[in-house]
Amino acid sequence: MEKSKSKLGGDYIPLLTARPKGMSYQEYRERRAYQNAWLKERLKGFICYVSSELVVYDKITGLPRLFNHRTDDIYKAHIRTNPQPFVGSARYGLKPL
């Protein structure tokens, strides 16, 4: 099997869906097992949580908004901490992350 260039510029190996001609069944099973494990890990989701963020208070409205490093003064920024998320079952064992 030859490697091809994707649109993003990286190398990739096409997914095996059927055993190519000339490949032994044992090698095909090993490569499918590796491919399935790789896909399972790749498609696994993850949680990205921001525990604190910089906010500034707007001069006109007085409401907080996110800090913009291009226009806002860092010395007027405040740190706002977000509440910690809860993980676990909705019914049992709620615990902070």
Side-chain angles (χ1 to χ4, degrees):
M1 211 180 333
E2 68 181 53
K3 291 186 177 183
S4 303
K5 291 281 188 180
S6 70
K7 292 179 183 177
L8 300 175
D11 290 338
Y12 76 96
I13 297 174
L15 297 177
L16 287 175
T17 54
R19 182 166 51 122
K21 289 184 180 178
M23 181 183 283
S24 69
Y25 184 70
Q26 182 64 29
E27 182 184 357
Y28 170 71
R29 287 197 36 132
E30 290 170 1
R31 295 203 40 198
R32 277 300 297 259
Y34 175 79
Q35 173 181 297
N36 289 344
W38 182 85
L39 282 172
K40 186 176 181 180
E41 186 65 30
R42 179 79 173 112
L43 296 176
K44 193 183 295 183
F46 65 93
I47 297 172
C48 180
Y49 173 72
V50 178
S51 62
S52 63
E53 54 196 359
L54 290 173
V55 294
V56 291
Y57 291 93
D58 198 288
K59 293 177 184 176
I60 299 170
T61 62
L63 296 173
R65 61 178 171 77
L66 289 177
F67 174 76
N68 183 352
H69 69 90
R70 292 189 178 101
T71 59
D72 296 328
D73 185 11
I74 188 68
Y75 298 109
K76 294 182 180 178
H78 303 278
I79 294 178
R80 176 172 63 190
T81 57
N82 297 321
Q84 285 194 345
F86 282 89
V87 295
S89 171
R91 296 181 185 174
Y92 313 106
L94 286 176
K95 56 188 179 290
L97 184 63

